[in-house]
Every structure is written in C-alpha cells, then in structure tokens.
C-alpha cells in the first residue's frame, strides 16, 4: 500500500503487510447449509479474494485521511469481481455482500473519489454497442439471426477493441463519455455501487478507468479522479506512480521466499512433523556441484 501526499507538506508512506493463510476458514469458503460444497480459494476465486483484501486495506487508508483534503483512492485493475456468477450464491455473498461492497460503503461515506486503473484494456463493451447499431435486424437475437445472416455487416468490427476506437477519438489527456458496465455480477449485486467507466488518453496509452456510481454522478469527484489519475501517470512515466510503488512493495523476493520456507520447516521440525516437498523444489533451493 502507498500513500502519497502533495502540496506544501509532501509526504509518502509505503508499506507491505504480508499475511499467511493456513486455516480451514482461510483456504475454503464454507456454505451456510450442508447441501452445498465447500469452495476452495484457488484459481479465479483466489484472484477475487485478493481483490477483496486490497479493497479492504484501501478503505481503511481512506478512512484515516483528513476530511476536506481532495483524496483519490486508486486500485490496480477492475472494480468488478468477474466470474462470480460461475460459483454458488453463497460465494458471491461472502466476497461481495459481506466484504467488498461494505468497503465501498466506507469510502462512499467519506466522499472519497474511488477509481481503478486498467492499463492496455482488452474490453469491447463500446464496440459491442456499435455491433448492435450496424446489425440489419430490428430485433437483436444473435442465437437465431447470426447463423442465418448473409451480409454479416457487424463483422467489419471484428478484432477491434475499445482502445482502438478511442485512440482515434480522444485527444491528449482527454476522457470519453461515461459508460455503464454491462456485467451481470454488477447488475445482480452492486446496487448503489453500480460500476461506470470511461477511457482516457495518457501520454503513452488509452487506459480504462472504472468508478462507482457515487463518483460517476458527482461532477467534482469525477473531475478529481480524471485529473489525479492523469497527474499520477505523468509522474510515473505513463503509469500511475502510486500503483508502481505498490507493486514494488508487493514483490516477494527470492530471499523472502527462502526465509519463509526455512521458518516453515523449522516449525514442522519442532512439532516432529514431515516437511514434504518435490525433488525439483529441493534441487532449486540446494547449492551443489
């Protein structure tokens, strides 16, 4: 986590707070009823869990900031916990309703400008609207019409991404209009925190910036988000400097990894428990000729 203050009394606070997750409550999401199966926190679910923890820390930092000082709370990546619709309902409730959205409540109550920055976005939300616009059918039904369509006028937009379109529309430091995310997860769960997004041209790329509804509908907060993200990109040679510094804080070095495994093995040895590992892993961690 990184806090950067500018102005007459500039300051910076850079921190890294590692956590070790090992208990059953950490490794699985337990359903409220026996009829559902435990969901291991791995793969896509692990990525969502990390996003929730990042948002929790950000809300805590935002709550500590003095009132009346223009503040931008910035996350790397998206504000949308994609893929949760593939899991049982209790998973979305655990990660969204009982966690992520509550952290957004905290920042909303502080009237904090919250935004997330997506570098080199691959999304096609705006292009999908254009595909509908050029479709010759009055009623859009892709399952039925696309197989029968001969002209396929929408194919002219194939392979194009939103950033390609915006690169021809936006001038230096400009932002696009606001768009509402079509995500089913947002529609079903986010409520008052519905996610909006806009594209902006930095010195080096077209970036996507996502904001919750309370920022999108507040002209002052929206303008603050735009201007401070641009300022961060300028200071960071094209990428927000706060996010760059946070990435540096989060790096787990080879020495960190080695110290961790030595600590784990010493604890297991004290408890007279085996420390299973692969031969390949032992070979990498052992110096020999």
């Amino acid at each position: 986590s990184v806090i950067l203050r500018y102005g007459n009394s500039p300051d910076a606070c850079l921190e890294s707070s590692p956590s070790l997750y090992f208990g059953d409550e950490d490794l699985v999401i337990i359903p409220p009823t026996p009829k559902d199966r435990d969901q291991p926190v791995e793969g896509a679910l692990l990525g969502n869990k990390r996003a929730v923890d990042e948002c929790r820390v950000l809300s805590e930092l935002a709550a500590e900031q003095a009132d009346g000082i223009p503040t931008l709370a910035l996350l790397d990546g998206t504000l949308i916990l994609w893929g949760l619709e593939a899991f049982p309902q209790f998973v979305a409730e655990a990660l969204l309703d009982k966690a992520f959205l509550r952290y957004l409540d905290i920042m909303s109550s502080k009237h904090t400008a919250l935004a997330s920055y997506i570098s080199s976005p691959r999304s096609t939300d705006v292009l999908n609207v254009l595909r509908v616009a050029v479709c010759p059918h009055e009623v859009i039904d892709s399952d039925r019409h696309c197989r029968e369509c001969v002209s396929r006028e929408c194919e002219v937009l194939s392979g194009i991404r939103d950033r390609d379109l915006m690169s021809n529309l936006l001038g230096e430091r400009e932002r696009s209009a606001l768009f509402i995310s079509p995500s089913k997860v947002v529609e079903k769960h986010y409520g008052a925190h519905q996610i909006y997004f806009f594209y902006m041209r930095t010195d080096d790329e077209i970036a996507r910036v996502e904001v919750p509804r309370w920022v999108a509908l507040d002209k002052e907060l929206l303008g603050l988000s735009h201007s401070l993200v641009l300022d961060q990109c300028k200071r960071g040679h094209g990428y927000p400097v706060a996010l760059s510094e946070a990435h540096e804080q989060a790096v787990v070095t080879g020495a960190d990894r080695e110290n961790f495994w030595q600590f784990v093995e010493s604890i297991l040895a004290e408890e007279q428990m085996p420390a299973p590992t692969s031969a390949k892993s032992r070979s990498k961690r052992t110096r020999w000729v």
Side-chain angles (χ1 to χ4, degrees), residues 51-52 55-56 59 79-81 84 92-109 114 185-195 212 214:
V52 170
C55 190
R56 172 182 57 81
S59 69
L79 291 175
I80 304 171
L81 299 190
L84 285 184
E93 292 176 353
L95 293 182
L96 271 172
D97 302 341
K98 298 178 181 179
F100 192 83
L101 297 180
R102 292 189 179 183
Y103 306 142
L104 297 190
D105 286 336
I106 294 174
M107 287 183 275
S108 175
S109 65
L114 169 65
V185 171
V186 172
E187 181 180 354
K188 186 175 181 179
H189 293 279
Y190 277 62
H193 300 304
Q194 186 176 33
I195 302 302
W214 86 80

Side-chain angles (χ1 to χ4, degrees), residues 166-193:
M166 295 300 168
S167 66
N168 290 295
L169 297 177
L170 298 178
E172 185 177 353
R173 305 178 75 101
E174 287 183 344
R175 73 169 185 260
S176 71
L178 279 171
F179 301 92
I180 298 176
S181 170
S183 165
K184 293 181 179 180
V185 171
V186 172
E187 181 180 354
K188 186 175 181 179
H189 293 279
Y190 277 62
H193 300 304

Side-chain angles (χ1 to χ4, degrees), residues 43-223:
L45 206 54
L46 178 60
N48 284 326
K49 178 66 167 60
R50 181 190 62 197
V52 170
D53 286 348
E54 290 175 348
C55 190
R56 172 182 57 81
V57 173
L58 189 64
S59 69
E60 294 170 352
L61 295 176
E64 296 171 358
Q65 305 310 305
D67 294 331
I69 298 178
T71 301
L72 172 66
L74 189 61
L75 281 168
D76 180 36
T78 179
L79 291 175
I80 304 171
L81 299 190
W82 293 98
L84 285 184
E85 67 269 17
F87 294 93
Q89 177 67 19
F90 73 88
V91 174
E93 292 176 353
L95 293 182
L96 271 172
D97 302 341
K98 298 178 181 179
F100 192 83
L101 297 180
R102 292 189 179 183
Y103 306 142
L104 297 190
D105 286 336
I106 294 174
M107 287 183 275
S108 175
S109 65
K110 285 281 292 184
H111 202 60
T112 301
L114 169 65
S116 69
Y117 185 90
I118 303 175
S119 177
S120 190
R122 295 177 292 177
S123 50
T124 58
D125 294 327
V126 179
L127 261 297
N128 289 340
V129 176
L130 295 181
R131 291 176 72 93
V132 173
V134 301
C135 181
H137 300 282
E138 293 185 6
V139 178
I140 305 301
D141 186 346
S142 57
D143 291 336
R144 181 163 58 96
H145 291 148
C146 287
R147 288 178 295 182
E148 304 171 354
C149 187
V150 177
S151 62
R152 303 300 292 266
E153 296 176 20
C154 63
E155 288 298 320
V156 70
L157 300 173
S158 296
I160 303 176
R161 294 171 176 164
D162 288 352
R163 71 179 190 229
D164 302 318
L165 174 66
M166 295 300 168
S167 66
N168 290 295
L169 297 177
L170 298 178
E172 185 177 353
R173 305 178 75 101
E174 287 183 344
R175 73 169 185 260
S176 71
L178 279 171
F179 301 92
I180 298 176
S181 170
S183 165
K184 293 181 179 180
V185 171
V186 172
E187 181 180 354
K188 186 175 181 179
H189 293 279
Y190 277 62
H193 300 304
Q194 186 176 33
I195 302 302
Y196 291 62
F197 65 92
F198 61 85
Y199 291 96
M200 54 177 280
R201 180 185 287 277
T202 68
D203 293 338
D204 299 306
E205 67 173 354
I206 299 293
R208 172 168 165 148
V209 178
E210 295 180 349
V211 295
R213 177 188 289 172
W214 86 80
V215 175
L217 301 185
D218 187 308
K219 185 177 180 180
E220 180 180 348
L221 290 182
L222 182 62

